[in-house]
Amino acid sequence: MGEFIYLDHGATTPLDPAIGRGMLEREATWFGNPASLHPVGRAAGRALDEARARLAEAIGGAARELVFTAGATEALGMAVLGAAGERPGRVAISAVEHAAVRTAAQRLVDERGWALDVIPVDSEGRVQPEGLAEVVGPETRIVAVMLANNEVGAINDVAALAKQMRARAPRARLVVDAVQAVGKLPVDVRALDADCVALTGHKLHGPKGVGALWSRVALRPLLVGGGQEDGRRGGTQSAPLAWALAEAVARQRAEAGHLVAMRDRLWARVEARVAGVHLTGPAPGRWRLGNNLHVCVPGLPGEPLFNALAAAGVCVSTGSACRGGAFSRVLAAMGRAASDGAYLRLTTGRFTTEAEVDTAADRLAAAAAELRALLGVG
Ligand code: PLP
């Protein structure tokens, strides 16, 4: 990737050039408004239908249950706010939800009189059925639990959590943020027994500005307007963007193994070269996102290590005091503290190469050793 080694695919991914070209080509033929009844509009409408059907099939849903959005923040906002009826109730979210869910739930509290409950996670960042049972009860009307965590890569057994939720709160709706999971692990919305599932294009080498919400329940729309998306989301749809999202999911699924191979190679090299380093979150395998490496380098402060890596051209992210000095909520919920050491997240993508991974690990080892010497840490 030119002069930078990009290992921050959990934040966003570079657009797959083939998808970029495909979108541009399709703009020439599918530029019509899908609602127009002339041939140009109908062509766009058909393309939109095809993309919807393809994407729905990829996640085990029906095409009519899928709404295209501008991304996952919108999809999750629509799920949380749109599921809340007129009467206030209780909303329960896991302690490690993304801000898209957290702030939507907070809005229910601040503006609509709801009560918020927080579902704890274990020391690996996973929600356990017993943790859910602690806070979810008959008054709970919305539960949000992510399928895979964006920071530490912890995967939740959503089907087991859904079972627990339905036993304790039969009227509650389950909102699942599958942003990090789609394309990297099999996602079947019916097997999850979720009510709403959100995804986005830019985490899987698709374009920014397109996402989707699968929902099997009726939701009050966030965006009203011309009645598009069956009245669920106003605004003229883009058939090329919808195609790009479906294509990105298909390509990511086909190449998910590469992400894992690069992550495993990275971890093997980091573990061998960085003194004292240890993994945060679940062990690689069933309960850890295949492209996620999250580590703690004990004895070192996070920000200087992050900065040294950035200066060396390696783009990663820090789970701790990166912006504004606030410690990660996710790590705090797992019982971690800033004093543990430097927390770093390194996430691989479809275009990550072995050479990049090896160089990044070497630069991390060099930066950590230099910082240790500078600070006089043993
Ligand atoms: N949920 C998770 C877990 C994420 O990682 C992100 C990405 O930032 C989002 C939601 C928000 O997605 P978007 O950027 O498409 O709004």
Side-chain angles (χ1 to χ4, degrees):
M1 272 213 62
E3 56 189 298
F4 293 106
I5 295 176
Y6 186 78
L7 289 175
D8 200 15
H9 295 82
T12 194
T13 56
L15 182 64
D16 179 339
I19 294 180
R21 281 193 303 276
M23 269 164 58
L24 268 186
E25 283 161 22
R26 284 164 176 80
E27 275 295 343
T29 44
W30 296 348
F31 66 88
N33 187 324
S36 298
L37 297 178
H38 48 62
V40 175
R42 285 187 194 277
R46 272 195 307 275
L48 190 64
D49 290 346
E50 274 166 29
R52 197 187 307 277
R54 191 176 172 207
L55 185 57
E57 199 193 341
I59 59 168
R64 66 187 146 68
E65 297 166 329
L66 204 69
V67 179
F68 285 109
T69 64
T73 300
E74 183 194 332
L76 290 163
M78 185 175 162
V80 173
L81 298 169
E86 293 303 318
R87 266 190 324 111
R90 302 193 79 88
V91 52
I93 69 170
S94 92
V96 296
E97 292 303 304
H98 188 270
V101 165
R102 211 177 57 241
T103 53
Q106 192 58 46
R107 177 169 277 200
L108 290 180
V109 174
D110 294 344
E111 297 180 5
R112 290 159 74 173
W114 282 59
L116 175 66
D117 297 304
V118 177
I119 307 166
V121 293
D122 65 18
S123 61
E124 295 187 337
R126 299 184 61 223
V127 180
Q128 297 296 348
E130 310 80 66
L132 186 136
E134 273 173 33
V135 300
V136 169
E139 298 303 311
T140 309
R141 302 245 297 282
I142 301 172
V143 173
V145 174
M146 67 205 319
L147 183 49
N149 180 260
N150 46 305
E151 266 186 61
V152 297
I155 295 172
N156 285 315
D157 185 348
V158 169
L161 297 170
K163 198 170 166 205
Q164 180 76 286
M165 182 199 92
R166 298 205 189 281
R168 301 188 63 82
R171 289 188 313 146
R173 287 173 175 188
L174 179 60
V175 176
V176 175
D177 175 347
V179 163
Q180 299 284 345
V182 168
K184 300 184 194 118
L185 54 125
V187 174
D188 179 331
V189 292
R190 302 216 191 273
L192 293 176
D193 193 20
D195 294 303
C196 301
V197 175
L199 60 130
T200 193
H202 74 96
K203 307 284 186 185
L204 4 95
H205 301 281
K208 292 172 183 61
V210 65
L213 179 67
W214 170 85
S215 177
R216 67 177 174 189
V217 294
L219 297 171
R220 201 180 146 90
L222 282 187
L223 297 179
V224 288
Q228 289 91 346
E229 297 290 296
D230 250 341
R232 293 168 296 182
R233 200 260 186 187
T236 303
Q237 305 100 321
S238 161
L241 271 184
W243 169 82
L245 178 59
E247 181 71 13
V249 170
R251 283 172 179 252
Q252 188 86 341
R253 286 174 92 198
E255 292 180 37
H258 176 74
L259 278 59
V260 182
M262 292 302 101
R263 190 277 314 271
D264 289 348
R265 185 179 176 103
L266 179 63
W267 174 226
R269 206 161 169 115
V270 166
E271 196 177 19
R273 283 171 168 66
V274 181
V277 68
H278 51 83
L279 200 62
T280 324
R286 179 165 180 205
W287 302 117
R288 185 176 197 110
L289 210 51
N291 78 329
N292 175 291
L293 181 63
H294 194 287
V295 296
C296 179
V297 188
L300 293 181
E303 203 169 340
L305 187 58
F306 170 84
N307 289 338
L309 273 177
V314 182
C315 304
V316 302
S317 92
T318 170
S320 63
C322 180
R323 281 181 214 128
F327 188 64
S328 153
R329 287 168 184 270
V330 172
L331 293 174
M334 293 164 64
R336 307 301 185 107
S339 56
D340 298 340
Y343 282 104
L344 292 177
R345 180 188 71 175
L346 302 95
T347 38
T348 59
R350 290 221 324 271
F351 305 110
T352 302
T353 64
E354 290 185 350
E356 286 181 317
V357 156
D358 293 352
T359 307
D362 293 348
R363 290 186 187 167
L364 171 56
E370 227 168 90
L371 202 56
R372 262 186 221 291
L374 195 70
L375 299 175
V377 183

